[in-house]
């Protein structure tokens, strides 16, 4: 695919920029973030004093930390990281290695055909072998797969795994993988025509200790409902910005099962995907603990269906929250050998605290503010907004260039963007808190 001549390639941009070592970028980001927190503390002293009249000094400080200091610190670190990030150039082009793609499918007869057809349209020059694992479907998924297999160009086989659970399905498929590299793809996810080529080129161009590369997953059904409109921006800006930051520090924390590539031997070394509701999170953290690195490739894009109803969205994010806790329990941040991954995984330790403060203090405080009572939500809380807007604008500009390179267009979705900025966290924090509670008390896990 030709690069749009109006926009320089990542390689051209990289050559024009002064090289800054990753460790310097890390400490530059830390310095900026700490300075922002110092400024926030100074500015928030009247807020803390007013709030302490109602809940005491200690609790007021804990509340303000959860609402302003820590979010401000994280946003400042993110903004600086986005400004300093430079994607390493791809060294190996036109790769032709045989690639296996694992697709765990449960009752996906309606969508699996489109998924396979988009794999067939890939511009990758090597052989692609697709292994679909029918995980107890009752809608004829395997029949649809068998029909698609007859159309040729790519090799498609369908296996049956009656034990319910995505990890069972993926591990069954892994037993039949013969290639050195394996991609996982969700059954409702469509690949951009160059997605396989870009993600293979990235892992082949990476250092030998990079065992996985996460692709960029975006929303396919954004026009369907109000909730999908919000999620379009969450994937396009929120999730992508975090993955870019993690990729900068060579420790992308989730090589998501929806679309990622792995070295087959390393996945087998880790005994495959674990029995966890966040099997991709736990597996990725095991990679990192064993001194492997995980990268992110923004040009390798896949489009997935996201929940159309609030109840389904809540269940999904609930699973994500539980998956994070599972990862923390199985792989402790202090067990990570690299300082960057130690730091990045440690951030997850404070996420429950932030979600609890947001749920039980910010939301009630917002209601009180409507009635003119500002002990919790006040002007100082708004300090987080400039950094949030800044990070979103930076990433929007970057993502727009990525889209133009792929001859894609960013859809106008103003209602979704405004709702994403205002409403998204109000829903996600309470849902996450419920997920933490479920995991602590080991309530029933559901794959889908």
């Amino acid at each position: 695919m030709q690069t749009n001549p109006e926009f320089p390639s990542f390689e051209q941009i990289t050559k024009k920029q002064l090289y800054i070592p990753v460790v310097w970028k890390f400490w530059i980001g830390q310095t900026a973030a700490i300075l922002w927190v110092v400024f926030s503390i100074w500015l928030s002293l009247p807020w803390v004093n007013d709030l302490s009249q109602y809940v005491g000094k200690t609790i007021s400080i804990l509340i303000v930390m959860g609402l302003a200091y820590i979010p401000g610190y994280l946003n400042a670190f993110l903004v600086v990281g986005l400004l300093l990030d430079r994607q390493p150039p791809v060294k190996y082009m036109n790769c032709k290695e045989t690639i296996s793609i694992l697709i765990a499918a449960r009752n996906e007869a309606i969508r699996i055909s489109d998924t396979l057809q988009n794999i067939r349209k890939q511009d990758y020059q090597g052989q692609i072998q697709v292994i679909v694992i029918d995980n107890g479907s009752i809608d004829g998924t395997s029949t649809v797969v068998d029909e698609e297999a007859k159309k040729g160009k790519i090799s498609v086989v369908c296996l049956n795994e009656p034990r319910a659970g995505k990890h069972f399905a993926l591990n069954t498929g892994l037993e039949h993988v013969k290639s050195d590299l394996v991609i996982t793809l969700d059954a409702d996810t469509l690949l951009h025509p160059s997605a396989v080529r870009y993600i293979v080129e990235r892992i082949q161009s990476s250092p030998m200790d990079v065992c996985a590369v996460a692709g960029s997953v975006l929303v396919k059904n954004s026009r369907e409902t109000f909730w999908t409109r919000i999620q379009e921006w969450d994937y396009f800006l929120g999730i992508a910005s975090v993955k870019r930051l993690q990729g900068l520090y060579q420790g992308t924390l989730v090589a998501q099962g929806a679309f990622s590539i792995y070295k087959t031997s390393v996945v087998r070394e880790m005994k495959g995907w674990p029995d966890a509701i966040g099997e991709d999170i736990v597996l990725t953290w095991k990679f990192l603990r064993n001194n492997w690195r995980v990268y992110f490739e923004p040009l390798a894009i896949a489009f997935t269906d996201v929940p159309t109803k609030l109840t389904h969205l809540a269940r999904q994010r609930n699973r994500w929250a539980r998956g994070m806790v599972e990862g923390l329990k199985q792989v402790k941040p202090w067990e990570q050998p690299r300082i960057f991954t130690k730091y990045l995984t440690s951030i997850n330790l404070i996420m429950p605290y932030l979600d609890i403060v947001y749920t039980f203090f910010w939301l009630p405080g917002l209601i009180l503010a409507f009635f003119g009572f500002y002990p919790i939500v006040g002007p100082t809380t708004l300090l987080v907004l400039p950094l949030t807007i800044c990070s979103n604008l930076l990433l929007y500009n970057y993502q727009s260039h990525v889209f133009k390179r792929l001859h894609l267009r960013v859809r106008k979705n103003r209602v979704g963007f405004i709702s994403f900025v205002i409403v998204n966290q109000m829903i996600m924090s309470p849902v996450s808190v419920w997920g933490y509670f479920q995991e602590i008390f080991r309530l029933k896990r559901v794959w889908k």
Side-chain angles (χ1 to χ4, degrees):
M1 181 174 291
Q2 295 293 321
T3 300
N4 191 321
E6 297 180 8
F7 295 91
S9 68
F10 291 147
E11 292 80 2
Q12 292 170 330
I13 293 174
T14 304
K15 290 178 181 179
K16 295 179 181 179
Q17 299 294 335
L18 175 66
Y19 174 73
I20 302 176
V22 174
V23 67
W24 289 15
K25 294 178 182 179
F26 179 81
W27 290 114
I28 291 171
Q30 291 292 337
T31 301
I34 291 171
L35 288 174
W36 178 263
V37 171
V38 171
F39 171 69
S40 299
I41 292 174
W42 171 77
L43 200 62
S44 66
L45 289 177
W47 179 21
V48 173
N49 292 330
D50 290 343
L51 184 57
S52 63
Q53 298 176 16
Y54 301 95
V55 296
K57 197 76 170 181
T58 301
I59 295 179
S60 67
I61 292 175
L62 290 174
I63 292 174
V64 176
M65 281 181 59
L67 295 182
Y69 300 161
I70 297 177
Y73 162 83
L74 294 175
N75 277 326
F77 186 71
L78 173 64
V79 168
V80 175
L82 294 178
L83 288 171
L84 296 176
D85 183 33
R86 296 292 180 269
Q87 184 81 353
V90 169
K91 299 176 184 177
Y92 300 103
M93 310 289 286
N94 303 319
C95 297
K96 297 181 180 180
E97 289 83 357
T98 297
I99 302 297
S100 297
I101 299 181
L102 297 182
I103 303 176
R106 183 179 178 87
N107 295 327
E108 297 286 358
I110 296 177
R111 291 180 273 195
I112 192 68
S113 180
D114 289 339
T115 302
L116 295 174
Q117 288 176 22
N118 273 263
I119 295 174
R120 194 174 287 112
K121 295 175 183 177
Q122 291 298 299
D123 61 12
Y124 182 66
Q125 296 185 23
Q127 183 180 358
I128 298 177
Q129 300 174 337
V130 182
I131 302 173
V132 179
I133 309 94
D134 188 343
N135 195 205
S137 300
I138 57 174
D139 67 345
T141 295
S142 58
T143 301
V144 176
V145 174
D146 290 339
E147 288 298 318
E148 285 294 326
K150 298 175 183 178
K151 297 180 180 179
K153 189 175 181 181
I154 58 174
S155 168
V156 180
V157 297
C158 186
L159 308 175
N160 288 302
E161 173 50 69
R163 295 172 294 176
K166 194 171 184 178
H167 70 288
F168 284 130
L170 291 175
N171 287 330
T172 295
L174 183 64
E175 295 174 2
H176 294 77
V177 172
K178 297 179 181 179
S179 58
D180 293 333
L181 297 173
V182 59
I183 291 173
T184 58
L185 184 69
D186 277 357
D188 60 356
T189 301
L190 305 182
L191 294 175
H192 180 274
S194 298
V196 170
R197 174 166 61 87
Y198 278 121
I199 204 167
V200 172
E201 288 176 353
R202 175 55 60 195
I203 196 168
Q204 294 293 69
S205 299
S206 300
M208 293 298 295
D209 61 352
V210 173
C211 71
V213 175
S216 178
V217 180
L218 302 176
V219 176
K220 178 176 64 176
N221 58 332
S222 61
R223 291 179 173 84
E224 288 193 26
T225 67
F226 171 75
W227 303 110
T228 60
R229 289 174 181 270
I230 291 179
Q231 290 171 86
E232 178 178 37
W233 290 109
D234 189 18
Y235 279 71
F236 189 74
L237 298 178
I239 295 173
S241 63
V242 172
K243 282 193 175 294
R244 269 196 65 201
L245 180 73
Q246 294 170 352
L248 167 63
Y249 297 114
Q250 305 164 357
T252 302
L253 295 190
V254 186
Q256 71 281 338
F259 178 44
S260 294
I261 191 169
Y262 313 84
K263 289 183 176 178
T264 307
S265 60
V266 180
V267 178
R268 288 176 173 152
E269 179 186 323
M270 299 296 121
K271 309 300 181 185
W273 285 266
D275 180 7
I277 201 167
E279 74 287 328
D280 47 4
I281 298 175
V282 177
L283 178 62
T284 306
W285 290 11
K286 285 182 177 179
F287 290 154
L288 300 173
R289 184 179 61 185
N290 284 272
N291 253 321
W292 293 98
R293 288 189 287 175
V294 179
Y295 278 7
F296 169 62
E297 178 49 61
L299 285 170
I301 289 179
F303 296 91
T304 191
D305 280 331
V306 296
T308 58
K309 298 180 180 179
L310 178 58
T311 52
H312 297 162
L313 173 60
R315 288 174 193 162
Q316 180 198 63
R317 300 310 170 94
N318 174 280
R319 291 196 302 272
W320 290 7
R322 292 190 66 171
M324 185 191 76
V325 176
E326 280 183 323
L328 288 171
K329 289 195 297 186
Q330 295 194 36
V331 185
K332 309 297 188 295
W334 50 88
E335 295 175 352
Q336 297 293 347
R338 291 189 172 89
I339 183 173
F340 298 143
T341 51
K342 198 185 298 287
Y343 169 79
L344 292 170
T345 52
S346 294
I347 290 176
N348 288 291
L349 289 172
I350 63 175
M351 296 311 297
Y353 163 64
L354 296 181
D355 285 325
I356 288 171
V357 171
Y358 192 96
T359 300
F360 294 106
F361 292 99
W362 167 269
L363 293 180
L366 194 61
I367 296 172
L368 291 174
F370 275 110
F371 294 96
F373 191 52
Y374 306 105
I376 299 177
V377 176
T380 313
T381 350
L382 300 178
L383 277 174
V384 179
L385 289 179
L387 281 175
T388 302
I389 294 172
C390 182
S391 63
N392 284 334
L393 288 176
L394 283 171
L395 193 69
Y396 180 86
N397 181 65
Y398 176 86
Q399 292 282 68
S400 297
H401 282 110
V402 169
F403 265 41
K404 284 183 170 63
R405 283 199 67 185
L406 298 174
H407 303 288
L408 299 172
R409 182 174 60 86
V410 180
R411 190 175 71 85
K412 290 182 173 63
N413 179 10
R414 296 185 181 90
V415 172
F417 177 75
I418 295 171
S419 301
F420 164 68
V421 173
I422 298 175
V423 176
N424 190 61
Q425 199 61 41
M426 295 183 186
I427 299 167
M428 295 305 104
S429 283
V431 166
S432 296
V433 169
W434 175 237
Y436 305 143
F437 175 85
Q438 287 181 308
E439 186 57 30
I440 290 172
F441 291 96
R442 303 300 297 168
L443 301 183
K444 182 180 179 181
R445 296 182 300 176
V446 180
W447 171 26
K448 201 170 180 183

